[in-house]
């Protein structure tokens, strides 16, 4: 990339500059999604680029990196490898540059420690001069090109790519009570440090809830909670479906197939196959079960752990210095159970972050079912010129399916965006083994 773009990437404009620095692509947000695109564009001199994040430094779910937490995807599904295997920002190159590639191979991890993957992402952000932290985008305007006003300067761009990630979600009735003793699992490593001898309710039956429960019941001595109750609206504590044919849902061709379905069919698919992306890793489930065995039969602590699936939490109220958690059984709807707790942990997932900086353009952008409507290249449909685009990363699961917030298609989606900006088209990988749609010549009208 020309030096003038590197200079502008790292510093605000000086007062004597007559116009804002201009880029062909500016990314807003630096999580795994936009970091993937930044890595693919790093050596592309035809696409001067800059990626901004309001955080002062890189972070990725730092508050819930409990011991033993692992990725649920292959390390080959890194920032770049599935689109550009020779790219220097690969996970393999990260290990090589750290001097521990043989150690990693010898360790034979069943799956990659999530903290290791987080460190890889931070390494990739730190070696890319076009990634800038500590700069928030305030507003985006358009007048032939996009003008971005940040808290440090003004920039212009032909295209912007939004990848601001998601925020922790809890039910509305719980939001006013959040604090030291009632919190989202996103803050687990900090807030859950002092729960020894106390009763805890964990709400949510997915991977993050399971990791929180395992951490709590694996503690020893005075650090072990007196009681841990695990509540889930699912009928059981189900494992992730990581079978080969299910993983064909996480191939580019299925994402394109899903995109062309009717909205009702897409919504039904996401509901029916949630365990393809949001189930519990088998080894985590096994460790929890083994802990249950030890607590009940070996240590004879029968009341230490309670499992309560198929229940909706309908309210949480303060009772003195404790919480009263009201739970309704989904099959016995006339019955309400109550759990008293010293601490409540919500493992209830995330929702897309607000995009307030797009407010000046809001009436020009199409929407579809609560999301911005995107085309086949993840560009928002709008009334602007076709060579000026707002791309969305990790924000259109209703249009692109379960794989959209997942790490699996990060590099492919970034490659699709890069191709659109460059006016090129990369070679597609071979189609899935599964035939997702009917083929011309094989079907007959009814």
């Amino acid at each position: 990339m020309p030096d003038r773009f590197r200079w502008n990437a790292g510093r605000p404009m000086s007062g004597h500059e007559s116009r804002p620095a201009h880029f062909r692509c500016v990314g807003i947000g630096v999580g795994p999604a936009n970091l993937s695109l930044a890595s693919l564009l790093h050596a592309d001199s035809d696409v001067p680029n800059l990626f901004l994040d309001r955080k002062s430094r890189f972070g990725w779910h730092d508050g819930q990196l409990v011991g033993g937490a692992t990725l649920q995807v292959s390390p080959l599904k890194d920032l770049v490898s599935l689109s550009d295997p020779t790219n220097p920002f690969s996970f393999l190159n990260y290990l090589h540059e750290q001097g521990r590639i043989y150690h990693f191979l010898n360790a034979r991890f069943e799956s990659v420690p999530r903290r290791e993957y987080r460190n890889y992402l931070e390494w990739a952000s730190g070696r890319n001069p076009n990634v800038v932290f500590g700069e928030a985008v305030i507003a985006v305007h358009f007048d032939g090109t996009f003008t971005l006003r940040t808290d440090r300067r003004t920039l212009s761009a032909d295209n912007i790519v939004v990848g601001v990630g998601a925020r922790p979600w809890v039910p509305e009735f719980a939001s006013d009570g959040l604090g030291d003793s009632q919190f989202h699992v996103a803050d687990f490593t900090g807030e859950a440090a002092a729960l020894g001898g106390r009763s805890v309710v964990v709400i949510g039956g997915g991977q993050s809830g399971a990791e929180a429960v395992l951490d709590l019941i694996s503690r020893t001595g005075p650090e072990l909670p007196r009681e841990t109750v695990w509540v889930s609206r699912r009928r059981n504590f189900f494992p992730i479906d990581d079978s080969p044919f299910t993983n064909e849902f996480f191939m580019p061709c299925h994402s394109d197939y899903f995109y062309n379905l009717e909205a009702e069919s897409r919504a039904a698919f996401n509901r029916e196959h949630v365990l393809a992306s949001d189930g519990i890793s088998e080894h985590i489930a096994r460790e929890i079960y083994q802990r249950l065995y030890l607590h009940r039969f070996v240590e004879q602590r029968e009341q230490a752990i309670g499992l309560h699936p198929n229940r909706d939490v309908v309210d949480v109220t303060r009772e003195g210095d404790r919480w009263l958690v009201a739970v309704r059984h989904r099959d016995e709807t006339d019955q309400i159970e109550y759990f008293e707790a010293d601490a409540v942990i919500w493992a209830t997932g995330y929702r897309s972050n607000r995009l307030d900086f797009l407010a000046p353009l809001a009436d020009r952008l199409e929407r579809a079912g609560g999301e911005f409507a995107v085309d086949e290249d993840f560009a928002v449909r709008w009334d602007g010129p076709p060579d000026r685009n707002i791309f969305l990363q990790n924000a259109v699961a209703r249009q692109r399916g379960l794989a959209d917030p997942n790490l699996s298609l990060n590099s492919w989606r970034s490659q699709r965006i890069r191709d659109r900006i460059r006016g090129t088209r990369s070679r597609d990988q071979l189609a899935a083994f599964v035939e997702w749609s009917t083929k011309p010549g094989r079907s007959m009208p009814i």
Side-chain angles (χ1 to χ4, degrees):
M1 174 170 291
D3 288 342
R4 62 190 180 94
F5 291 111
R6 286 204 180 97
W7 185 88
N8 279 322
R11 296 172 52 190
M13 293 192 316
S14 60
H16 66 270
E17 291 183 78
S18 59
R19 61 176 182 236
H22 182 77
F23 299 87
R24 196 164 174 190
C25 168
V26 170
I28 304 173
V30 183
N34 261 354
L35 190 53
S36 170
L37 180 60
S39 300
L40 290 174
L41 288 174
H42 172 257
D44 193 338
S45 59
D46 293 332
V47 185
N49 62 90
L50 176 66
F51 289 79
L52 304 174
D53 196 293
R54 66 169 56 245
K55 298 189 299 290
S56 60
R57 53 174 296 177
F58 181 82
W60 183 63
H61 299 305
D62 290 0
Q64 61 184 92
L65 293 176
V66 299
T70 59
L71 282 187
Q72 292 183 305
V73 299
S74 165
L76 290 179
K77 295 180 175 180
D78 61 13
L79 297 173
V80 294
S81 290
L82 295 186
S83 291
D84 180 8
T86 65
N87 192 292
F89 287 89
S90 70
F91 181 72
L92 195 63
N93 194 45
Y94 156 75
L95 293 174
H96 182 268
E97 286 207 355
Q98 301 300 305
R100 59 175 183 260
I101 192 167
Y102 287 99
H103 306 80
F104 183 84
L105 291 174
N106 292 342
R108 297 187 182 183
F109 289 110
E110 182 176 332
S111 51
V112 177
R114 198 180 304 162
R115 185 174 294 277
E116 172 80 309
Y117 196 79
R118 178 250 181 247
N119 292 343
Y120 154 65
L121 296 175
E122 183 177 40
W123 166 86
S125 69
R127 73 196 307 260
N128 190 335
N130 303 322
V131 172
V132 175
F133 292 100
E135 184 168 358
V137 174
I138 307 301
V140 178
H141 299 266
F142 184 80
D143 185 12
T145 60
F146 294 102
T147 300
L148 297 85
R149 180 169 58 85
T150 80
D151 56 0
R152 290 174 50 187
R153 51 180 163 171
T154 299
L155 307 165
S156 67
D158 296 331
N159 303 276
I160 64 173
V161 186
V162 179
V164 295
R167 66 186 188 280
W169 181 86
V170 300
E172 187 174 349
F173 62 76
S175 58
D176 289 341
L178 295 179
D180 293 342
S181 62
Q182 184 180 188
F183 52 89
H184 192 273
V185 73
D187 300 316
F188 183 85
T189 56
E191 300 294 353
L195 294 179
R198 309 177 74 189
S199 61
V200 183
V201 172
V202 178
I203 303 166
Q207 177 76 354
S208 59
E211 290 173 347
V213 168
L214 179 59
D215 180 87
L216 292 171
I217 66 177
S218 298
R219 298 179 182 185
T220 58
E223 295 183 354
L224 177 69
R226 177 172 57 82
E227 181 183 32
T228 299
V229 171
W230 189 11
V231 179
S232 171
R233 68 191 316 269
R234 298 176 183 176
R235 286 192 173 273
N236 203 344
F237 299 99
F238 291 115
I240 191 169
D241 184 352
D242 195 29
S243 59
F245 290 110
T246 297
N247 274 312
E248 294 229 332
F249 294 155
F250 299 91
M251 292 179 66
C253 56
H254 186 269
S255 179
D256 286 335
Y257 164 75
F258 184 94
Y259 174 77
N260 288 300
L261 295 176
E262 296 294 330
E264 186 175 322
S265 296
R266 295 198 302 256
F269 180 95
N270 282 346
R271 287 194 303 271
E272 293 167 9
H273 297 285
V274 64
L275 293 176
S277 65
D278 190 28
I280 302 168
S281 296
E282 183 180 348
H283 74 279
I284 295 289
R286 184 169 59 251
E287 288 183 53
I288 291 174
Y289 202 94
Q290 290 170 351
R291 277 282 145 197
L292 291 171
Y293 183 97
L294 292 173
H295 278 291
R296 175 172 295 189
F297 300 123
V298 178
E299 299 168 7
Q300 298 182 344
R301 300 181 66 251
E302 288 200 28
Q303 303 304 314
I305 305 168
L307 304 182
H308 302 273
N310 201 28
R311 291 161 170 86
D312 289 314
V313 176
V314 295
D315 200 12
V316 177
T317 54
R318 195 75 164 170
E319 292 281 323
D321 59 353
R322 307 190 78 200
W323 297 102
L324 190 65
V325 182
V327 175
R328 178 182 287 118
H329 197 287
R330 306 192 79 196
D331 292 332
E332 304 165 9
T333 55
D334 60 337
Q335 299 293 320
I336 298 291
E337 296 173 276
Y338 293 93
F339 300 103
E340 290 188 29
D342 298 304
V344 178
I345 301 171
W346 292 92
T348 43
Y350 294 79
R351 299 292 187 273
S352 294
N353 262 320
R354 296 171 58 91
L355 305 180
D356 294 340
F357 50 83
L358 292 180
L361 304 176
D363 59 351
R364 306 183 62 178
L365 310 177
E366 292 185 26
R367 299 193 71 90
E371 298 174 342
F372 285 113
V374 297
D375 64 19
E376 64 277 5
D377 296 323
F378 299 90
V380 178
R381 298 185 183 277
W382 75 313
D383 62 3
D387 61 342
R388 299 291 185 268
N389 289 292
I390 302 170
F391 297 96
L392 291 185
Q393 299 243 49
N394 186 17
V396 290
R398 295 178 185 178
Q399 298 168 77
R400 278 290 180 171
L402 299 169
D404 191 67
N406 188 279
L407 294 173
S408 295
L409 293 181
N410 253 0
S411 63
W412 167 77
R413 182 178 54 206
S414 293
Q415 185 64 56
R416 180 71 69 89
I417 293 170
R418 180 188 181 215
D419 285 350
R420 174 71 166 267
I421 293 172
R422 291 174 54 87
T424 59
R425 187 61 180 244
S426 298
R427 180 175 67 87
D428 290 333
Q429 292 292 306
L430 297 177
F433 287 127
V434 176
E435 296 282 2
W436 298 116
S437 59
T438 57
K439 298 297 181 183
R442 295 187 190 173
S443 58
M444 296 285 289
I446 297 175

